[in-house]
Amino acid sequence: MKRNQQLSKTKESLKEQRFNELKISLREQMFQSVIGPFGLTPAMFDDKTGGNVTTQHNADQGIYAKESEKYNRTSDYGFSKAKKNLLKQSHADRTMNDQTFVDKYTGKEASTRRITESGHHKMNAELDHTVPLAEAHREGAWMLDKTERQALASEKDNLHFTTMENNRKKGGKSAEEFLSEENGFDPSVTKPLIDKARKAVDNHLPTEMERLQYHGKALAMTSAKEAGKNALRQALGVLLFEFVNGIFVEWPPFKEPGFIDRLIAAFKRVANRVINKLGSALDAAIQGGVQGFVSNLLMFIINSVVTTSAKVVTIIREGMKGLWEAVKMIANPPEHMSSDEVFRQVTKIIAGVVTMSLGMLFEESVNAFLVSTGMPYAGAVSQVITGLLTGIISALVIYGLDNLFDRLAEKGTDLLHAKEANLDELQSNLLHMADLLEAQFKNSAMYQDIAKTYLQIGLALETACEASTATHESCDKDRLAKEQLLNELSVKKQQYQDNQQELDALMTGLNIKGWGA
């Protein structure tokens, strides 16, 4: 009963603790959102679709990171001098005169001039880039400077006279697509022109090594810039948060006397709080620099496959901070923190990143709605509104996750109590088993001594058996020797008897007096 009361009291205190944490988290999350991704970030970063470095994938879509990389036919691809030279050459080799010219795409003669609907004479022979300049630009000419682009535009092997009608129909279509047999052209005429033009254009485009050098230089410059800006943004974020949070905490009541003095004292305390955070701001700047560098490199890798919008670029950079903290906690968790607590903190960090990302995407909708209503400064207002809402939702999500983990822990606690009871019973059984094992150990020691005695007896018996065998063998030898002796004695006795009989007979024959009496 007492234990249940303690558990109930613990649950109530935990709920009160979580509610107090929610109130603090609401304030901190709103401040961080308004200061961070919805405040400093839009002010310090000019994120663009496709990231800070143009990839070939983005160039294929006509998306470029720099103005100098964009396609501008008029200013960058002038070829007037080449046009004049080709006109002179055409007149010199008699493929063109005032009346007719040879259409390079058909190999047939056509009228050099045409008459418009208003009756004016215009050139019907027009100079066309067989490989369109826009296509060449997308394929890599965007990396070239203005002089190199003009050289590409003036490439004579890519310039051919055709009729105005063919030139208009072709437009920006690729040579292989337009000058095909399906469109009425003879491949034996057009294919050599296309192959020669394509080879000539490729000679002007950057090589793989030049592309690698171009991207490497662009990545180094933009990554350094992003690292510096992100380091400054993270450091300012720490200091501004401490400043705003300090004002909120330290602001004195209006109604009490001596408001000005207390206000000055409060600002001094706020200033001290900010100064004490300089070390944390420096750490944040270092981490922010690394995160900015990594996020810029990551954006380049992603945009090599798929084009990201400007908002996604912002989300990836801002999310990098949370992901960095999560990875750092997993790789090097605090010594006092259990694995369950590490999992809880990592889950909350990732949930905050997801909530922030959804909030930044939602900002577009809020901004569009405010703009449609004609509200002035709709962009700034939408950032503030979305930042506050995102901060509130983030705090509520974290609060919900804490409660979820607490409930899971409560269910786990009940199960733990049952396991503790089972463990107590198991401990008792183990102690009884230990006594039995100890008795068995003693018996085993006794059995070991008996076994040693039996071993000694066995050795003694083995020795006795060996002695008995030796005695038996000795007796056998004595018996054999005795039998042999008896046999010899028997023979000697017989010999003696025979000798005695012979002697008796001899003595009798000699009639010796007294012999045999």
Side-chain angles (χ1 to χ4, degrees):
M1 183 67 179
K2 183 177 180 181
R3 185 173 187 178
N4 291 334
Q5 289 177 350
Q6 290 177 346
L7 289 174
S8 177
K9 185 177 180 180
T10 302
K11 291 178 181 178
E12 291 178 358
S13 61
L14 183 60
K15 288 181 179 179
E16 184 178 357
Q17 175 187 343
R18 295 303 182 204
F19 185 72
N20 291 331
E21 290 176 352
L22 172 62
K23 292 189 292 184
I24 297 173
S25 180
L26 279 171
R27 183 181 75 241
E28 292 182 352
Q29 290 291 341
M30 286 190 294
F31 286 166
Q32 288 177 348
S33 296
V34 173
I35 291 172
F38 298 94
L40 288 175
T41 295
M44 297 181 64
F45 294 89
D46 183 21
D47 292 321
K48 60 192 76 173
T49 299
N52 298 315
V53 179
T54 303
T55 63
Q56 187 56 55
H57 175 272
N58 286 346
D60 291 337
Q61 318 302 317
I63 299 171
Y64 305 97
K66 297 189 294 185
E67 286 295 326
S68 61
E69 295 172 338
K70 294 181 178 179
Y71 178 64
N72 192 324
R73 181 186 177 96
T74 304
S75 64
D76 293 345
Y77 288 96
F79 61 102
S80 57
K81 184 177 180 180
K83 184 176 181 180
K84 291 179 181 178
N85 292 335
L86 285 172
L87 278 171
K88 291 180 181 179
Q89 181 181 341
S90 298
H91 283 89
D93 60 18
R94 297 184 179 181
T95 57
M96 178 184 294
N97 55 44
D98 291 340
Q99 302 298 320
T100 61
F101 78 102
V102 177
D103 188 334
K104 292 293 185 179
Y105 293 157
T106 63
K108 300 176 182 179
E109 287 189 350
S111 176
T112 304
R113 295 185 177 275
R114 60 186 173 85
I115 301 175
T116 64
E117 294 179 357
S118 60
H120 293 89
H121 288 268
K122 295 286 186 180
M123 284 292 291
N124 186 43
E126 293 188 349
L127 198 58
D128 177 58
H129 288 91
T130 304
V131 176
L133 292 178
E135 180 181 340
H137 185 85
R138 291 193 301 271
E139 290 178 349
W142 56 272
M143 298 182 185
L144 305 178
D145 58 28
K146 187 173 182 178
T147 302
E148 291 170 328
R149 291 177 186 177
Q150 288 178 349
L152 187 153
S154 302
E155 176 57 58
K156 64 178 183 178
D157 288 337
N158 190 40
L159 288 169
H160 298 99
F161 281 105
T162 187
T163 62
M164 180 275 296
E165 182 181 5
N166 284 339
N167 196 19
R168 295 296 182 275
K169 287 181 180 179
K170 180 173 178 291
K173 297 178 183 176
S174 68
E176 291 83 359
E177 177 186 356
F178 180 75
L179 300 176
S180 62
E181 189 173 4
E182 289 78 4
N183 289 335
F185 294 93
D186 185 357
S188 64
V189 176
T190 58
K191 190 175 186 307
L193 291 177
I194 295 172
D195 292 343
K196 192 173 183 181
R198 182 68 66 184
K199 183 177 180 181
V201 169
D202 288 343
N203 288 334
H204 288 273
L205 297 180
T207 63
E208 292 299 324
M209 180 56 67
E210 289 170 341
R211 290 171 185 265
L212 184 62
Q213 291 173 349
Y214 184 92
H215 283 133
K217 181 179 179 181
L219 272 174
M221 294 178 64
T222 56
S223 295
K225 185 177 179 181
E226 284 292 303
K229 289 198 297 184
N230 204 50
L232 181 60
R233 176 247 183 272
Q234 298 286 22
L236 286 177
V238 171
L239 298 178
L240 281 175
F241 172 77
E242 191 62 32
F243 178 74
V244 175
N245 190 47
I247 290 177
F248 184 86
V249 173
E250 302 289 349
W251 190 268
F254 285 101
K255 297 181 180 180
E256 294 183 6
F259 173 76
I260 300 299
D261 294 336
R262 285 184 289 106
L263 182 62
I264 294 173
F267 272 114
K268 289 182 179 179
R269 290 193 296 270
V270 171
N272 288 330
R273 293 178 63 152
V274 172
I275 292 172
N276 291 333
K277 281 290 181 178
L278 289 176
S280 299
L282 179 60
D283 292 338
I286 296 172
Q287 294 183 18
V290 176
Q291 294 161 18
F293 185 92
V294 173
S295 64
N296 192 63
L297 180 60
L298 179 62
M299 286 309 309
F300 175 78
I301 295 173
I302 293 174
N303 279 277
S304 297
V305 181
V306 61
T307 302
T308 57
S309 66
K311 188 58 68 177
V312 172
V313 173
T314 306
I315 289 173
I316 290 177
R317 184 183 55 253
E318 294 301 319
M320 186 64 65
K321 178 183 178 183
L323 294 177
W324 180 275
E325 293 177 356
V327 170
K328 188 168 64 173
M329 180 164 290
I330 293 173
N332 186 26
E335 295 181 358
H336 64 278
M337 192 174 290
S338 65
S339 58
D340 292 339
E341 188 63 25
V342 169
F343 178 72
R344 176 190 290 222
Q345 295 300 324
V346 170
T347 303
K348 287 159 63 174
I349 291 171
I350 294 176
V353 171
V354 173
T355 305
M356 180 272 297
S357 302
L358 294 176
M360 297 193 76
L361 293 175
F362 180 64
E363 181 191 353
E364 296 289 336
S365 301
V366 175
N367 185 49
F369 173 75
L370 294 179
V371 170
S372 66
T373 61
M375 177 181 288
Y377 307 107
V381 174
S382 65
Q383 290 173 4
V384 173
I385 293 175
T386 311
L388 292 174
L389 290 175
T390 303
I392 293 172
I393 294 173
S394 297
L396 293 175
V397 168
I398 292 173
Y399 176 71
L401 287 173
D402 276 328
N403 283 332
L404 176 62
F405 279 106
D406 290 341
R407 289 181 181 178
L408 293 175
E410 288 176 5
K411 294 179 181 179
T413 302
D414 295 337
L415 180 61
L416 183 61
H417 292 328
K419 288 185 176 181
E420 285 179 352
N422 291 333
L423 288 174
D424 290 339
E425 185 66 23
L426 180 61
Q427 182 182 13
S428 176
N429 293 334
L430 288 174
L431 290 174
H432 181 62
M433 186 178 294
D435 293 338
L436 293 176
L437 288 174
E438 186 176 0
Q440 185 66 31
F441 177 76
K442 291 179 179 179
N443 292 334
S444 297
M446 186 183 300
Y447 293 153
Q448 187 175 10
D449 292 339
I450 292 173
K452 288 180 180 179
T453 302
Y454 286 159
L455 181 61
Q456 292 174 354
I457 292 173
L459 292 174
L461 286 174
E462 184 177 357
T463 302
C465 287
E466 291 176 352
S468 177
T469 301
T471 302
H472 180 72
E473 291 176 352
S474 177
C475 289
D476 286 342
K477 289 179 179 179
D478 291 344
R479 182 179 59 79
L480 291 174
K482 185 180 291 184
E483 289 179 353
Q484 185 176 4
L485 180 61
L486 288 174
N487 290 332
E488 291 177 354
L489 289 174
S490 178
V491 172
K492 293 291 184 183
K493 179 181 176 182
Q494 186 65 39
Q495 290 176 354
Y496 176 76
Q497 289 177 349
D498 291 341
N499 292 331
Q500 186 67 36
Q501 289 177 358
E502 291 178 356
L503 182 62
D504 289 340
L506 179 62
M507 293 303 294
T508 302
L510 292 177
N511 195 17
I512 296 176
K513 187 180 179 177
W515 184 265

